[in-house]
Amino acid sequence: MIKAGSIAYAILICIVVGIFCYSLLLMSGYSRVYTTMLDTHAELLVNNESAQEFFLGKVDDIEEKEITIDLFENGITSLGVIKPWGFYKVLHTTSVFKKDSVKRTALIGQWQKDDNLALYLSDASKPLFMVEKAKIIGNAALPKSGIKAGYITSNAYRDTKYLQGSKRVSKTSLPKIDYLDFGYGDVRTTRLNEVKDHTRLYNAFDKQTLVVETDTIVLENKVLTGNIVIKSKDSIYIKKSNVLENVLIEAPKVAFESGFTGTVQVLAERIVSLEENVVLRYPSGILMNKGNVDKREINIAKNSKVLGGIVVEDENRGLDKIVTIEEDAEVIGDIYCSGKLQLKGNVTGTVYTSNFYLKTEASAYDNYILNGTIDRKGLPIEFVRIPLFKSKSEYFRPYAIIKQI
């Protein structure tokens, strides 16, 4: 005869074992669901990456109208959106499957053309004169009168290999570039005095652009990163105490204190000045193409660098436009100047200019380069350039990713 206590004990054991077995089954079910979710998310990530590559080939189409596509016909839909960001563009790619989604945002530019073009100098019926250590490494489009050794008092060209590349005859005008509007889409605004010193302010590129307005001439001790525009109706002096990453600066006059380092794009009307030892890291740039002014001027002082590009573009031939690259200063990327370029430093990339200009204590010279160098072959193959030319232009190359942001 079984005692009542033993029956109760057996029932308790059965309940415990049942709960344990049920828990195992439940855990197994959840594990399968979780594994499926992981697999789906992994597939979403791969699909999103592929969609981003697909949209890179459709940039011009996306700018006119957003594109949605089921790339692999697997139920995952991807949306491509283009947003202007200074010289460059921002590509947003969103892939969706049921309630799960993956987003990817990249800063994109133009892949470099592989013709090794170092210089395009428009034909104004004047030759290009090279003095002392001046040198062009790469191919050149030059006036019909060609390239010659130049003389400035006791200075004369000392090396007969001033052009290391092929040459062809240029036209009277520069190649037409695409209009650069330096747009940044929908915005929300704040005042500079509302931004705390030494405190990082970050704004993602899938959010509205944050415009920081200021009436203060001196900008100092700010830490700004991402989808942010610093805007002023007057001059801005950027102190080296600022930390600026991927931001735009818009003002009539912009100057950078010696020692400043950051990643910025500048839209100015009158003057942009880099004091000595300033580094605008890649991808940075300077643009002058709007405003009713009597002069546009860019000065890159000794030992300063701009990694990205410089564009001074204005069809007004009566307007004085001068870009000066001082000794030991360097621009890595493209320079497009529809005015005069005074080149004493170095350009690693391609120069498009209407004229060269040299001013000394004694006189001024047209189409002279003193000690300056242009080295197209030194530009890394991985370097993604500012998109100057339209897709139907002979100078156009496909778009490529600069970095994920």
Side-chain angles (χ1 to χ4, degrees):
M1 183 174 177
I2 302 175
K3 296 182 179 180
S6 299
I7 294 174
Y9 184 70
I11 292 172
L12 180 62
I13 292 176
C14 289
I15 292 173
V16 171
V17 170
I19 292 173
F20 179 73
C21 292
Y22 177 76
S23 298
L24 288 177
L25 290 171
L26 194 62
M27 290 174 62
S28 176
Y30 278 126
S31 177
R32 286 196 298 271
V33 172
Y34 184 68
T35 301
T36 301
M37 290 174 62
L38 288 178
D39 291 341
T40 301
H41 193 73
E43 189 175 0
L44 261 176
L45 288 171
V46 173
N47 194 288
N48 187 255
E49 184 175 354
S50 298
Q52 186 179 68
E53 292 296 324
F54 172 81
F55 291 136
L56 275 175
K58 302 288 184 181
V59 171
D60 292 339
D61 296 334
I62 297 174
E63 285 185 312
E64 295 181 3
K65 185 179 180 180
E66 297 176 1
I67 294 178
T68 301
I69 187 173
D70 186 344
L71 195 61
F72 299 111
E73 297 182 352
N74 56 0
I76 299 177
T77 58
S78 296
L79 171 67
V81 179
I82 290 291
K83 172 184 177 179
W85 189 246
F87 278 126
Y88 308 97
K89 303 177 191 296
V90 174
L91 171 60
H92 297 288
T93 306
T94 304
S95 298
V96 179
F97 180 74
K98 295 182 178 179
K99 295 183 179 181
D100 198 4
S101 65
V102 170
K103 296 181 180 180
R104 186 182 295 261
T105 303
L107 190 66
I108 64 174
Q110 199 170 348
W111 200 254
Q112 61 176 298
K113 191 171 177 62
D114 55 5
D115 63 353
N116 282 325
L117 180 65
L119 171 63
Y120 193 106
L121 173 61
S122 59
D123 191 350
S125 301
K126 296 180 181 179
L128 173 63
F129 294 98
M130 309 289 280
V131 183
E132 288 203 359
K133 299 178 183 179
K135 186 175 293 186
I136 300 171
I137 303 173
N139 302 330
L142 299 166
K144 292 178 182 178
S145 46
I147 184 170
K148 300 179 180 180
Y151 299 88
I152 301 175
T153 60
S154 61
N155 296 323
Y157 194 81
R158 300 175 183 173
D159 190 343
T160 57
K161 296 182 180 179
Y162 41 75
L163 174 61
Q164 298 179 15
S166 64
K167 58 182 178 179
R168 59 186 173 90
V169 177
S170 62
K171 298 180 181 180
T172 56
S173 58
L174 295 176
K176 185 70 174 177
I177 65 172
D178 196 5
Y179 178 72
L180 299 168
D181 63 3
F182 236 64
Y184 35 80
D186 295 333
V187 303
R188 59 188 177 92
T189 61
T190 188
R191 300 294 300 176
L192 182 64
N193 56 16
E194 297 176 4
V195 179
K196 296 181 180 179
D197 289 352
H198 305 294
T199 301
R200 182 173 181 262
L201 175 61
Y202 170 72
N203 190 41
F205 278 92
D206 59 352
K207 307 294 184 183
Q208 273 188 316
T209 297
L210 176 62
V211 176
V212 179
E213 297 179 339
T214 177
D215 297 323
T216 304
I217 294 178
V218 178
L219 183 74
E220 56 185 338
N221 302 324
K222 303 302 180 185
V223 184
L224 307 176
T225 304
N227 187 13
I228 298 174
V229 179
I230 304 169
K231 190 170 185 177
S232 174
K233 295 180 180 179
D234 203 335
S235 304
I236 298 181
Y237 183 66
I238 311 294
K239 301 276 285 185
K240 65 181 180 181
S241 61
N242 295 289
V243 178
L244 307 178
E245 296 294 332
N246 299 324
V247 304
L248 304 186
I249 301 172
E250 186 173 345
K253 300 178 182 179
V254 181
F256 293 88
E257 182 185 25
S258 177
F260 172 83
T261 298
T263 309
V264 300
Q265 297 184 67
V266 179
L267 173 62
E269 296 177 13
R270 296 179 179 274
I271 298 175
V272 177
S273 177
L274 276 62
E275 296 179 358
E276 294 186 4
N277 301 301
V278 171
V279 179
L280 303 187
R281 294 194 301 260
Y282 179 71
S284 293
I286 301 170
L287 172 65
M288 287 185 168
N289 72 340
K290 72 174 188 177
N292 185 17
V293 298
D294 55 2
K295 185 177 183 179
R296 303 192 195 279
E297 187 174 356
I298 296 176
N299 297 297
I300 313 299
K302 188 175 181 179
N303 293 321
S304 288
K305 292 184 179 181
V306 177
L307 287 77
I310 295 175
V311 176
V312 179
E313 199 278 326
D314 197 309
E315 295 181 355
N316 182 0
R317 295 188 178 184
L319 181 63
D320 199 6
K321 296 158 283 186
I322 299 177
V323 176
T324 299
I325 314 296
E326 294 288 358
E327 294 180 17
D328 299 318
E330 184 176 14
V331 175
I332 299 176
D334 294 323
I335 295 179
Y336 187 100
C337 178
S338 61
K340 300 176 182 179
L341 172 61
Q342 183 170 215
L343 180 59
K344 300 177 183 179
N346 307 302
V347 177
T348 303
T350 303
V351 171
Y352 304 86
T353 186
S354 297
N355 297 95
F356 283 97
Y357 169 80
L358 176 63
K359 186 176 182 180
T360 66
E361 293 181 358
S363 185
Y365 303 83
D366 285 333
N367 266 5
Y368 270 70
I369 300 179
L370 174 62
N371 292 324
T373 64
I374 304 172
D375 183 2
R376 172 61 179 80
K377 294 182 179 179
L379 192 66
I381 190 65
E382 300 85 4
F383 192 90
V384 181
R385 302 159 81 173
I386 56 179
L388 289 175
F389 301 101
K390 293 182 178 180
S391 58
K392 295 182 180 180
S393 167
E394 62 174 304
Y395 300 93
F396 173 81
R397 296 295 289 172
Y399 287 92
I401 294 173
I402 297 173
K403 62 180 178 179
Q404 304 290 343
I405 52 178

